[in-house]
Amino acid sequence: MDTSMTSSDGAIFSMDCDRRCSYSVVVADHVLECTASPLHRLLRGRRALAVTTPTVHAFYRQALDDFCRWGDIDLLVLDVSEETKTLATAERICQRALALGLDRRAMLVSIGGGVCSDLCSVAASLIRRGIGCIRVPTTLIGQIDAALGVKGGVNFEGRKSYLGCFTAPALVVLDPTFLRTLQRCDFQRGLAEIIKIGLVRDEGLFELVESAWREFIDTRGRTPTSRLIIERAALRMLEELQGNPFEDKTYERLVDAGHTFSPRIEAASGFSIHHGEAVAIDLCLSATIAAEAGLMSWNARDRVVNLIDAIGLPAFTPVANAALCAAALTEAARHRGGHTDLVLPRRIGEAVFVKSECDLQPHVVPAAIERLEVDASARYVAAGSGAAARA
Ligand SMILES: NC(=O)c1ccc[n+]([C@@H]2O[C@H](COP(=O)([O-])OP(=O)(O)OC[C@H]3O[C@@H](n4cnc5c(N)ncnc54)[C@H](O)[C@@H]3O)[C@@H](O)[C@H]2O)c1
Ligand SMILES: [Zn+2]
């Protein structure tokens, strides 16, 4: 009989467990006021710390106060931005949780944009090594992207989302009524992420945005078509995330479209270029690279660039020069397990992965940058002559 406790490789035990998660994403209007909502059901009998930002607090003070009074909920109003999306700010949430004596069953409730939800996810993953986190995203990017998956992150040493966690939320509540107070620019930025998912995954969604973006922005998502766009974008995003939420199955992620060059663009601009704008620029770069490489027709590429430009999002920035793009591709390979896995559209609604920079001819990226720069100058001149003609 073999009395040895070790296997041939010297291990006394081989741990083999799956990381699973399940959570619901629900759509509910005026969720803070509706005490029968899934949010209230989950919080009944638990302590909670709700975290929001000054802007959201100013618009929804009464509803937030009533919500906190309804339950055993404290409110932390935290002034956050991309510049302060740091570990130190996440620690401020942890400090409040400690001061309140939150127990293991307690919940953090993020009621704010993507920055707020990323910070809360990081804090929730740290407090007692992990307490529950509920996300109530109040921006378009939050509702169709940032709040849906399991990732939270903070910026570190000038690197976008370098530190973070894979922490599944306990619940996500999409309340489109929050979007009514959003500024136009935040709606435009959210559209960049919607265009992304349409471009790589859903031609019909892309076409919906092409036909309805003006009504979508002007009504702040109030019309039935606008609500359809939001729900369809969120669904496509969730479908994409579902098979690989912890990113441990594959690094080939369609949702990484628009997110290869954009982190560097944001960081290199000192975060003066917002995430959504950087994604728009990245999408234009990716579509132009695809056209230069002969993967996608120039006609389809022009649809992408024209849509982004019409919406009022940037299609180009001088920040995205050849050196930055080369560095971004190198960093992408570091981040994605050794492969670049650049997502390039093949047509509207379908994309492929470029595994390595070597799969692209050397002239392709610089040519794409030059093309976008020329297009941007032409648009600038056209806009100037239009203004001159009107004067
Ligand atoms: N974790 C992820 O998977 C993931 C995915 C996508 C984006 N993100 C992150 O999300 C962030 C971008 O999110 P964002 O666009 O929501 O930015 P944001 O959180 O900075 O919010 C944008 C602005 O909207 C204001 N605001 C929020 N809700 C409002 C409301 N209802 N009415 C009026 N104003 C309101 C905020 O005060 C802020 O000024 C980035 O940091 C990005 O990295 C994370
Ligand atoms: Zn994004």
Side-chain angles (χ1 to χ4, degrees), residues 91-126:
E91 276 180 33
R92 289 186 56 196
I93 303 173
C94 302
Q95 279 155 1
R96 182 61 69 89
L98 179 67
L100 290 169
L102 292 192
D103 62 20
R104 196 79 185 256
R105 285 187 73 247
M107 293 270 170
L108 284 189
V109 187
S110 145
I111 307 172
V115 171
C116 184
S117 80
D118 267 359
L119 281 162
C120 282
S121 300
V122 171
S125 77
L126 294 171

Side-chain angles (χ1 to χ4, degrees), residues 141 144-146 160 189 192-193 196 237 255 257-259 262 266 275-276 279:
I141 286 197
I144 53 96
D145 194 333
K160 174 88 182 158
R189 291 161 177 167
E193 299 278 11
K196 168 195 82 175
M237 184 74 189
V255 295
H259 291 72
S262 60
E266 275 181 79
H275 181 72
V279 169

